[in-house]
Amino acid sequence: MDSALIWEMVIKSLVLILALLTGFAYLTYYERRGLARIQSRVGPNRAGPAGLLQPIADAVKLIFKEEFTPGQAYKVIFILAPIITVIPAILITATVPWGGTVTIGGREVMLGIADINIGVLYIMSVASIAVYGVVLAGWASNNKYAMMGGLRSTAQMISYELALGLSFVGVILLANSMRMTEIVEAQRGLWFAFLQPVGAVVFFFATLAELNRGPFDMPEAEQELSAGYNVEYSGMKFALFFMAEYTKMVSISAIIATLFWGGYRGPFIDTMPGLGPLYMFIKIFFILFMMIWVRASWPRIRYDRLMDLGWKILLPLSLSLVFINATGILLNQMWLIPLLSIGAGFLAIQAINLSLRRKENAR
Amino acid sequence: MTVFIILALVAIITALGMLISRNAVYSALFLVLNFATVAVFYLLLGAPFIAITQVTVYAGAIMVLFLFVIMLLGTDELEDTDNLTWQRPLAIGLAVVLVVEGIYLMLSQNTLGFITTPSEDLGSPQAIGDMLFSKYLLPFEATSILLLVAMVGAIVLTVKNKKGEQS
């Protein structure tokens, strides 16, 4: 490996990390303004023009806040837990391609960090590591509420990882590759969100649960757990948990865009490969808005219903979607896939309806 | 070579830490680190697929369940009760025999050396998939049935417990 390549990698990683952290800061602003607009409020508008400096003000405030460590906490893990939460959130984007190959100063540069042949699996494994931060934070606080919050969210994340993984399998089948760039190339004709609409929806729900976002924000159920796993944290450590959540939102939106919404592809991409990051930005922006919209519109669902949805609805549904994809590919009849999968999705909605009605009758 | 030595040291230290630490959660965390180092070993050997699977399955799923059970049972700290009397000297003796045996074999066989990196597609997902579904189809199916039986067994056990509580 020559030194120029190492420098290229370092610069690309730094740019990506900076972009993610800026994205995190402005995502908080975006969410607060978006939520405010949906709830017909104004939202933060004091710091700077239209409140644009609000994230910086927040950061300054959080850095100077007092940090408090409970006397009975397990110190080492207590300090490590926020760090363990943040690192996977940043690492997970390493295999996402942000564009094609562009020439900068006579040098061919691939817009993306690592284009490995197991890119999708890499995302899966980093996502599964992310559970540790939450569970360790809950345990190290040595507080019953924090512990319950941590355990709850672990159970939730493990359960929804199954549906997430199976949705990945569907995409791998359609693209016939685990390499992210090849997945994007396979969507040249038709985005996978149109070929496999139900898969895209299942993936979206599963990622919401993985992110602990509303309506699945169990670990932060204020009414039941005071705050969940982060109840004992304050100052910058508390901010790190939020940084992880919002950075992960940006990363996962990038992954959703790559897997289902054509990645960096858009009009004129073949002649101007430099447009890739712009298309990614637009797609991420829309997916993030979906997440904020969902949070603003739906109440938090009850814990047993959450588990029911994960295990009894989403898992069989995603398994049947894998089967449908395989059938369509094997028979070489691609039109079967959207038709059959919409049928399966309809059955799943019927199942939810039935179980809700049964619960109402039982009362 | 240097990477290997550093990794080997980390692996040994984490394994020892897992055995020695008195707190079950710390033991589990040491084991996670150990799994991670093993995954890096696989990467060094040119098998990224197995490395990533190692992280996903062992570090990401199984150890999380371990931690879960440790925390739910609340048996974090181990008490210092010593009810192993004759087992300890026996274990030490047997371990010494094993180490001596290993060293003797390594020195006498004279096959010590680094394995050459295998061909690119040996550990690729396609190659593994082909092998699993053609040559090793029977063991693969047998394993899946075994896992299914274990899962059903666990579910049956919990159901019986619930009935016992109600009656």
Side-chain angles (χ1 to χ4, degrees):
Chain A
M1 202 187 276
D2 58 326
S3 60
L5 191 65
I6 293 174
W7 276 113
E8 187 195 317
M9 283 297 173
V10 169
I11 291 168
K12 278 199 293 197
S13 311
L14 276 180
V15 169
L16 181 58
I17 290 172
L18 280 179
L20 275 180
L21 295 187
T22 321
F24 140 69
Y26 276 90
L27 176 56
T28 57
Y29 171 74
Y30 181 31
E31 182 175 31
R32 287 168 73 184
R33 292 288 287 203
L35 279 180
R37 180 57 63 89
I38 291 169
Q39 296 160 352
S40 51
R41 292 184 286 120
V42 181
N45 66 343
R46 295 287 137 176
L52 271 173
L53 293 178
Q54 186 67 36
I56 297 162
D58 282 343
V60 171
K61 179 198 123 186
L62 280 165
I63 288 168
F64 287 109
K65 252 175 115 166
E66 185 192 354
E67 292 210 28
F68 182 76
T69 311
Q72 295 293 310
Y74 298 86
K75 287 250 164 46
V76 183
I77 307 278
F78 188 79
I79 294 166
L80 271 179
I83 303 170
I84 299 175
T85 325
V86 170
I87 288 174
I90 295 172
L91 281 184
I92 202 165
T93 36
T95 56
V96 176
W98 298 89
T101 314
V102 290
T103 325
I104 300 172
R107 196 182 156 76
E108 299 257 298
V109 179
M110 212 268 299
L111 294 176
I113 309 277
D115 186 27
I116 50 177
N117 65 348
I118 44 169
V120 175
L121 271 181
Y122 169 86
I123 289 170
M124 220 22 230
S125 80
V126 176
S128 67
I129 290 294
V131 181
Y132 280 106
V134 174
V135 88
L136 290 178
W139 176 76
S141 307
N142 211 349
N143 170 322
K144 286 211 171 70
Y145 288 113
M147 173 98 157
M148 288 318 290
L151 286 180
R152 253 188 185 189
S153 69
T154 328
Q156 171 186 337
M157 283 160 106
I158 293 177
S159 308
Y160 278 79
E161 234 162 57
L162 297 169
L164 195 72
L166 284 169
S167 313
F168 272 132
V169 174
V171 174
I172 294 167
L173 280 177
L174 289 175
N176 199 14
S177 174
M178 289 198 217
R179 199 184 280 270
M180 294 294 261
T181 45
E182 277 171 28
I183 290 175
V184 174
E185 280 307 310
Q187 300 178 57
R188 185 176 284 271
L190 191 63
W191 291 352
F192 287 163
F194 296 112
L195 195 56
Q196 182 52 279
V198 183
V201 173
V202 169
F203 192 83
F204 185 68
F205 281 141
T207 50
L208 280 183
E210 278 286 301
L211 288 166
N212 296 326
R213 293 273 312 166
F216 306 116
D217 52 351
M218 277 299 137
E220 288 150 40
E222 292 92 350
Q223 301 94 326
E224 307 150 36
L225 291 170
S226 65
Y229 63 92
N230 54 20
V231 64
E232 294 287 2
Y233 283 86
S234 53
M236 206 55 208
K237 288 204 208 76
F238 177 75
L240 279 181
F241 281 117
F242 269 83
M243 185 174 149
E245 183 182 328
Y246 284 83
T247 317
K248 238 198 262 173
M249 271 173 81
V250 179
S251 329
I252 291 219
S253 305
I255 292 163
I256 294 177
T258 309
L259 290 182
F260 287 102
W261 300 96
Y264 56 80
R265 296 201 65 81
F268 310 115
I269 190 76
D270 288 320
T271 47
M272 290 164 73
L275 280 176
L278 181 69
Y279 288 134
M280 275 302 263
F281 178 78
I282 294 170
K283 284 170 186 172
I284 290 171
F285 197 78
F286 274 107
I287 295 166
L288 285 175
F289 179 71
M290 288 291 290
M291 288 179 177
I292 293 164
W293 194 9
V294 163
R295 179 182 168 177
S297 332
W298 282 347
R300 183 180 299 134
I301 72 172
R302 225 170 55 199
Y303 188 66
D304 59 326
R305 294 235 171 108
L306 174 93
M307 281 300 172
D308 276 4
L309 181 69
W311 286 97
K312 295 182 186 164
I313 310 285
L314 287 187
L315 179 64
L317 178 61
S318 48
L319 204 59
S320 65
L321 289 181
V322 170
F323 180 73
I324 288 166
N325 280 358
T327 318
I329 292 164
L330 204 64
L331 299 177
N332 209 6
Q333 305 279 331
M334 288 314 225
W335 57 270
L336 270 178
I337 297 174
L339 226 65
L340 284 177
S341 61
I342 286 172
F346 187 70
L347 280 181
I349 291 168
Q350 282 300 315
I352 297 174
N353 242 340
L354 268 180
S355 77
L356 285 181
R357 203 168 300 159
R358 208 178 304 134
K359 274 183 186 130
E360 250 163 44
N361 287 343
R363 231 187 281 145
Chain B
M1 184 68 191
T2 42
V3 179
F4 173 77
I5 289 171
I6 294 168
L7 273 178
L9 273 178
V10 173
I12 291 170
I13 290 169
T14 48
L16 284 178
M18 185 214 116
L19 287 175
I20 291 167
S21 82
R22 308 295 301 171
N23 190 320
V25 174
Y26 286 125
S27 286
L29 290 179
F30 273 122
L31 193 57
V32 172
L33 261 185
N34 194 303
F35 284 146
T37 37
V38 172
V40 184
F41 275 131
Y42 286 133
L43 272 185
L44 276 184
L45 292 172
F49 178 73
I50 300 174
I52 294 286
T53 318
Q54 165 91 10
V55 173
T56 317
V57 174
Y58 287 100
I62 292 180
M63 284 319 292
V64 173
L65 284 180
F66 267 53
L67 271 181
F68 203 76
V69 171
I70 291 168
M71 288 175 182
L72 270 183
L73 293 180
T75 50
D76 297 353
E77 304 276 351
L78 224 65
E79 300 111 55
D80 238 349
T81 50
D82 206 2
N83 43 17
L84 300 169
T85 47
W86 54 275
Q87 286 99 331
R88 201 160 277 173
L90 185 70
I92 291 170
L94 286 177
V96 169
V97 170
L98 183 70
V99 169
V100 170
E101 204 177 16
I103 290 171
Y104 173 73
L105 268 179
M106 279 208 291
L107 293 179
S108 66
Q109 297 279 321
N110 220 3
T111 48
L112 204 62
F114 281 91
I115 319 162
T116 50
T117 319
S119 64
E120 175 91 351
D121 55 272
L122 184 76
S124 79
Q126 282 97 337
I128 290 174
D130 272 349
M131 285 305 236
L132 264 187
F133 289 104
S134 59
K135 198 176 169 191
Y136 299 105
L137 183 63
L138 191 66
F140 177 75
E141 293 289 344
T143 321
S144 62
I145 289 173
L146 202 68
L147 285 173
L148 187 69
V149 169
M151 214 160 74
V152 172
I155 291 169
V156 167
L157 282 176
T158 57
V159 167
K160 275 199 174 158
N161 269 345
K162 261 186 198 160
K163 270 185 187 162
E165 277 169 15
Q166 278 165 1
S167 63

